[in-house]
Structure formats: C-alpha cells, structure tokens
Amino acid sequence: MNSTWNRSSIQRKKCPELGDTAMAQSTTTAAHPGPALNGRQLRLWQDLLEKRTGVQVVRRQENGIRTQIVRRMAEAGWTDADYYFRSLDTASGAREWGVLLDRLLVKETRFFRHQPSHEFVRQRIASLASDLESPLWLWSAGCASGEEAYSLAVDAAEGFARARREDNYYVVATDISKDALAKARRAVYPGAEPSNLPAFLGRYFYSHGPNQVAVDESLKQRVAFYAQNLLDKDNRYLNQMDVIYCQNVLIYFKAWRRRELINYFRDCLKPGGCLVIGPGEIADWQPPQMVRLDVPGVQVYQKRSQP
Ligand SMILES: C[S@@+](CC[C@H](N)C(=O)[O-])C[C@H]1O[C@@H](n2cnc3c(N)ncnc32)[C@H](O)[C@@H]1O
C-alpha cells in the first residue's frame, strides 16, 4: 500500500480551509485500499468540469477521468474523494484545480490537422495581404500545445508570400491548459525531422536533436500564447480579428454552449473576418450576422460587414 495514504498531516497541509475534523475523517486506516471514486462522486467531478470549462465527459471517457482523479488524489495525499472535491472550492484549491484540469482535458493536436481549412486560411490571407493598412490578426482558440497556432503562422506567411508582400500578421493563441501553453511557448516538438517535412516547411522549422523539430524564431516571434477560459468570453484584447480558428474544441461542448461561443467569436471578428471551425462542429443552426462561405470540406463563416 502507498504509505502516503495514511498521512493525515499531508491532508491538513493541503487544505487548511476544511478544518481538522474534515482532515481527520479523510485519513485512511491500514485496511483502506486507497483513493477511490464511486459513481456519485464521478458525476460531481463531471458536473464541475462542465461548469468550469464547458467540457462534457462522455461515457467512453468516464474510466479515463476516474483514473486520472484517483491517481492525482494518491499523488497529492488525498484519500477521501468528497473532501478532495470540496477542497477545490477553497482559496488554496485553485492551484490544485489547475493541476488536475491538465490531466482531465483532451489536448490531442498536430500540425496542419485539417488541411483544407489551412489551405483556406492561406488563400484568405493572400487575398487580404495586398491592401493592408495594419497587420492581420489570427486567433487559434483552444490551441493546446501550439501546433495549430504555428500552422496558422505558416499559413499566414505563405499567404503573404503568394501575394508577394512582406509578412504583416500576428497569431494569438489561447488555451485553458497551462501545461499545454508551456509546451507551446517552448516550441520544440518530438516525432519529426525537418527532412520528413514537406519542402516548403523547411524554412519554418529546424532540427532540435534526434527526431525533434523546433519552430524557427522568425515564426515564433509572431505567435503569442495566453491562458484563457473560453467560457469567460473576454474580448478586451481578443477583438478585431481577421481569422478565428477553433477546431476540435466545440465538439466537447453542449449544443447551446457551442452556439454561445460562436456568437462570442463573431463579436471578436472584424466585419468581413472569418471563423473557421471543424467540419460538422455545428449543424442545423445559422449563426446570426454571419454567412457560411461555400468552401468544399471547410466550415467557415464570414461576419457581415453591416449588422
Ligand atoms: C483536442 S484539443 C484541440 C487542439 C487544436 N485546436 C486542434 O484542433 O488540434 C482541445 C483543446 O481545447 C482546450 N479547451 C477545452 N476547454 C477549454 C476552455 N473552456 N477554454 C479554453 N480552452 C479549452 C483544451 O485544453 C485542449 O487543449
């Protein structure tokens, strides 16, 4: 048995706000098999995750979520799932929530994940590039570890090259996961060699040791990463965007939240700006003040110039 499970002192240290009685009750006896999570407790976590992030846990993900929570409890010295749960609502719970959240979210991503959407962005940038008074702004919303954001930066650079204009763009990339953002800022990616990349990508990446590539500084300096919870719908800084790119994020949200987020994205676009989502991520609904563009294989909406 893991010796940390018997340490009530750890519990007390972790969460003074719950008081000693709670801590004493959460201490295991020698016979206790260690942290566990029953169905009722799992539902509490699912509800909390959805309330705080919008992310729904579907049935096939339940075991994975349960495993992550139990593993984290053991690591942090918690034995009672109810006390651990309640601790997150205390002042010291915010940090722990951040740690746990990083384990619960799906952060799967890759470069140029949906090729037709990236080709659309290149064409769009090329068509805007020739007549610019100010830089173009692109936003990768739910960028995970940065591959999507750097792909958008490549799209923009290629768009400017097609239009034979100097680069004049920035990419803002946001995610709720601090872990993912740290990887994104580092911009070193395993599992690739520059020689395996399509030739045109060679100038954007360089070899960073065996089987790793790093993003070239010229691209990196055009991309800025920020922590943001999309549910906050903050648009103090994220406004007047030319392109908003949000793929494989809305799929985790309920239909009504997807619609709310699309309305939020619209408000963050310039008139004439485009929102690119994943194919099929919203169906049977026409976002107000936007028109769906007819681009095969791509789900893209343009904000009307006049409301
Ligand atoms: C499956 S990844 C998709 C990454 C990338 N967009 C792509 O298509 O490859 C989903 C990302 O959405 C982020 N996410 C989930 N809920 C979020 C929220 N409420 N606010 C911001 N980001 C969120 C997750 O942290 C994760 O990095």
Side-chain angles (χ1 to χ4, degrees):
M1 194 170 77
N2 185 332
S3 61
T4 60
W5 293 341
N6 282 323
R7 284 192 284 155
S8 59
S9 58
I10 292 180
Q11 309 276 37
R12 192 169 291 115
K13 193 176 76 199
K14 296 280 175 216
C15 190
E17 293 89 337
L18 285 183
D20 283 356
T21 318
M23 294 306 120
Q25 284 174 8
S26 68
T27 305
T28 47
T29 63
H32 197 288
L37 208 63
N38 63 33
R40 173 190 63 79
Q41 290 165 327
L42 181 65
R43 273 190 298 283
L44 287 177
W45 286 100
Q46 288 176 273
D47 291 348
L48 185 70
L49 184 66
E50 201 203 325
K51 187 170 139 220
R52 291 191 176 183
T53 70
V55 170
Q56 296 181 87
V57 177
V58 295
R59 189 167 289 277
R60 70 185 152 74
Q61 294 169 319
E62 284 179 0
N63 279 341
I65 294 284
R66 189 194 301 267
T67 304
Q68 290 299 336
I69 296 170
V70 166
R71 191 174 292 160
R72 177 60 197 160
M73 282 173 65
E75 241 175 58
W78 287 95
T79 53
D80 184 306
D82 287 327
Y83 287 118
Y84 179 49
F85 182 81
R86 283 172 48 198
S87 78
L88 296 182
D89 252 344
T90 63
S92 60
R95 200 188 151 274
E96 177 58 25
W97 171 248
V99 174
L100 182 66
L101 188 58
D102 267 322
R103 315 271 178 99
L104 301 183
L105 294 169
V106 178
K107 288 173 279 181
E108 184 192 328
T109 186
R110 56 184 180 274
F111 286 102
F112 302 102
R113 189 168 182 177
H114 189 246
Q115 284 285 353
S117 297
H118 284 287
E119 180 50 33
F120 167 79
V121 174
R122 276 171 230 166
Q123 287 176 14
R124 178 86 193 142
I125 300 296
S127 71
L128 295 171
S130 39
D131 196 19
L132 282 184
E133 284 171 8
S134 53
L136 293 178
W137 286 88
L138 298 88
W139 173 17
S140 163
C143 63
S145 39
E147 289 89 330
E148 180 181 275
Y150 293 120
S151 302
L152 286 177
V154 170
D155 294 338
E158 289 293 306
F160 277 96
R162 282 183 197 177
R164 298 187 200 292
R165 289 289 192 278
E166 289 281 300
D167 283 351
N168 192 9
Y169 72 90
Y170 293 100
V171 177
V172 182
T174 60
D175 202 280
I176 198 171
S177 163
K178 303 238 165 77
D179 237 24
L181 290 171
K183 287 186 185 131
R185 291 188 183 108
R186 185 161 177 260
V188 173
Y189 297 97
E193 293 276 4
S195 55
N196 295 338
L197 297 174
F200 81 96
L201 287 178
R203 70 188 177 101
Y204 302 110
F205 298 91
Y206 63 92
S207 175
H208 194 272
N211 210 27
Q212 287 202 126
V213 288
V215 177
D216 189 76
E217 202 54 40
S218 61
L219 204 65
K220 220 172 143 185
Q221 67 189 11
R222 296 208 168 261
V223 185
F225 293 95
Y226 298 101
Q228 188 221 22
N229 183 346
L230 286 168
L231 294 197
D232 292 342
K233 303 197 187 73
D234 190 341
N235 60 4
R236 280 169 301 172
Y237 312 106
L238 295 158
N239 53 40
Q240 295 295 304
M241 292 286 151
D242 293 282
V243 175
I244 299 178
Y245 199 97
C246 183
Q247 294 197 334
N248 305 298
V249 179
L250 297 172
I251 47 168
Y252 297 102
F253 291 15
K254 286 189 171 143
W256 67 269
R257 282 199 201 274
R258 295 184 197 194
R259 291 194 289 269
E260 276 198 4
L261 277 176
I262 287 182
N263 286 335
Y264 161 59
F265 289 141
R266 181 205 53 228
D267 294 343
C268 297
L269 283 169
K270 270 183 189 158
C274 288
L275 168 66
V276 183
I277 62 174
E281 289 186 347
I282 192 112
D284 306 326
W285 182 65
Q286 171 55 49
Q289 295 162 44
M290 297 184 103
V291 281
R292 176 143 185 202
L293 300 185
D294 185 14
V295 184
V298 180
Q299 193 154 354
V300 51
Y301 298 90
Q302 183 170 36
K303 181 171 176 171
R304 290 183 199 279
S305 297
Q306 302 291 328

